Amino acid sequence: ISDFKEKVMSDQYYLLMGMMWGNLHLDKLYGLEINKYLIIDEELYRYRLNVREYEKKIKIDSTKLVEVGLPFKKYPVFPELEIDYIIAMPTPLSIPEPKNRRDFLRCICKLVSQINPDDTIAIKPHNAIEYRDIILNQKVFDALSNKFLKPFHNLIVFIIGIVLKILQSLNVPSFRGFLNNLYDIQTAIYYHKLSKRAPLFSTFTPYHNFSLELFMPHVKKGLITGRSNSIYHALFAKVPVYNCVDKNTINEDKNKMNYYSMQYLEVPYCNGELKFDTEYYKIIREEVRNKDFIKFLLTELENVSRIECPTISK
């Protein structure tokens, strides 16, 4: 920040804040004077402060807050890209246990089986970093990729299902590790099954590592995910959301913001049914959707004073 203050010449400094930031880290500016704090959704910002009381102690001038919305609907980044459904793997906080991950994928497979075969579906393993899919035990997935095992995937899932029922009825704590291994196997097989119908998003665009919100306006029929902040971006773009994580079956960490953000973005568990109530679009105010971030920036640029930059020698 010292380098920033010394080397960047500017009349004003604007801070573009993340969707769920609140006042987190704003006490780390070390004297950098912020002229305007640009927030996506002021109602969501206030909500976070209400559930994160300690962030209210980080004082900022509320008159400097400017709600700017999201620009990607009005100013599409990838107008050539069209896709029917995108599967966005949620945060590990949403599916903390191997059983939760198995249930999540099983729900997705049920949902996908109802989708028109002509519709395009893509899997996005992470909002921005796709080097691996957190839902998988990669070693188990690789082992089950063996061509001699693939024909027996359905049989393996069926047999494991019987074994799980027996072990669960015994309720022996020492079986927990073994049970988790069995869930990992089922999860890997469901992922294999899903991959036959839904290729990775990287097959659709070389920019697949970019954040999901850039692509959401180009998704025509639905976002398939769990208890994820990606729900906000789908609702903002008025794309149906299919939540495949049942909140009643997970041990969610109530100290994490994800627990509270999912109360705000409460789209109920779909239970594998391809049904969505458009009333949930109202979670996002139309006023926020109507904001024009690019126009705001252009207006600000017209208003600020110009600085004569010193001549830089070769």
Side-chain angles (χ1 to χ4, degrees):
I1 288 182
S2 294
D3 281 349
F4 192 73
K5 289 193 287 186
E6 291 172 9
K7 299 176 182 178
V8 178
M9 292 176 293
S10 177
D11 275 354
Q12 300 186 45
Y13 293 98
Y14 293 1
L15 180 61
L16 180 60
M17 296 167 70
M19 187 182 79
M20 293 302 301
W21 265 23
N23 285 352
L24 188 66
H25 304 313
L26 296 189
D27 55 344
K28 306 292 194 303
L29 294 172
Y30 301 103
L32 180 65
E33 180 66 27
I34 302 297
N35 298 89
K36 292 184 180 179
Y37 298 87
L38 311 184
I39 52 177
I40 295 171
D41 186 325
E42 186 169 356
E43 189 176 272
L44 184 57
Y45 167 80
R46 300 290 181 194
Y47 172 78
R48 169 158 180 145
L49 293 190
N50 285 335
V51 299
R52 284 284 191 270
E53 287 286 334
Y54 64 87
E55 288 185 29
K56 289 182 180 179
K57 297 176 184 177
I58 303 171
K59 298 297 182 183
I60 65 170
D61 184 349
S62 61
T63 63
K64 295 181 178 181
L65 289 173
V66 181
E67 185 179 69
V68 295
L70 291 168
F72 311 117
K73 187 77 172 176
K74 289 186 175 72
Y75 304 91
V77 183
F78 302 105
E80 73 287 353
L81 178 69
E82 281 196 357
I83 193 167
D84 293 306
Y85 296 88
I86 192 161
I87 299 169
M89 296 303 174
T91 169
L93 297 171
S94 178
I95 40 177
E97 301 291 337
K99 182 180 184 300
N100 304 140
R101 296 192 278 274
R102 189 279 309 268
D103 292 345
F104 170 67
L105 270 189
R106 185 166 60 185
C107 179
I108 290 181
C109 287
K110 181 181 176 183
L111 194 71
V112 166
S113 69
Q114 301 166 48
I115 292 174
N116 189 314
D118 294 329
D119 287 345
T120 52
I121 312 172
I123 298 174
K124 199 171 192 317
H126 188 273
N127 187 23
I129 306 168
E130 297 186 14
Y131 67 94
R132 71 183 185 93
D133 199 324
I134 57 94
I135 200 169
L136 289 173
N137 180 320
Q138 194 62 46
K139 290 182 179 179
V140 172
F141 181 79
D142 291 343
L144 287 164
S145 300
N146 185 292
K147 64 180 181 180
F148 297 109
L149 289 177
K150 280 187 175 181
F152 301 103
H153 278 184
N154 288 340
L155 179 61
I156 293 170
V157 168
F158 176 73
I159 292 172
I160 287 177
I162 295 172
V163 174
L164 283 170
K165 285 182 180 179
I166 294 170
L167 295 179
Q168 287 166 346
S169 66
L170 296 175
N171 196 24
V172 179
S174 59
F175 287 166
R176 183 176 177 81
F178 181 60
L179 286 172
N180 287 342
N181 291 335
L182 295 179
Y183 289 131
D184 282 344
I185 294 171
Q186 286 189 319
T187 298
I189 290 175
Y190 282 128
Y191 201 99
H192 271 289
K193 181 179 179 180
L194 186 61
S195 299
K196 293 176 183 177
R197 177 66 179 88
L200 290 172
F201 194 42
S202 57
T203 63
F204 290 85
T205 172
Y207 306 105
H208 57 96
N209 275 316
F210 285 13
S211 295
L212 185 69
E213 51 267 35
L214 276 75
F215 303 104
M216 195 51 63
H218 311 293
V219 177
K220 294 187 289 185
K221 296 186 178 180
L223 170 71
I224 300 169
T225 189
R227 291 166 61 76
S228 162
N229 285 338
S230 62
I231 291 173
Y232 182 93
H233 299 299
L235 296 179
F236 189 100
K238 292 191 174 180
V239 173
V241 178
Y242 302 100
N243 168 27
C244 293
V245 173
D246 183 356
K247 67 179 181 180
N248 297 314
T249 63
I250 60 173
N251 294 316
E252 205 164 10
D253 188 345
K254 296 182 180 180
N255 294 314
K256 300 293 184 181
M257 188 60 205
N258 193 70
Y259 171 78
Y260 295 102
S261 61
M262 287 306 103
Q263 290 182 340
Y264 187 94
L265 303 169
E266 189 67 66
V267 174
Y269 176 54
C270 72
N271 197 26
E273 298 297 325
L274 201 64
K275 295 177 182 177
F276 175 75
D277 187 345
T278 56
E279 283 293 304
Y280 290 106
Y281 291 149
K282 293 180 181 178
I283 291 174
I284 314 296
R285 291 173 293 126
E286 281 299 321
E287 183 184 359
V288 185
R289 290 192 182 94
N290 292 331
K291 297 290 181 181
D292 193 319
F293 186 29
I294 304 303
K295 187 180 288 186
F296 164 79
L297 291 178
L298 291 173
T299 302
E300 294 296 298
L301 284 168
E302 289 173 1
N303 293 336
V304 296
S305 61
R306 271 52 174 181
I307 297 178
E308 280 293 326
C309 293
T311 302
I312 300 174
S313 65
K314 289 185 179 180

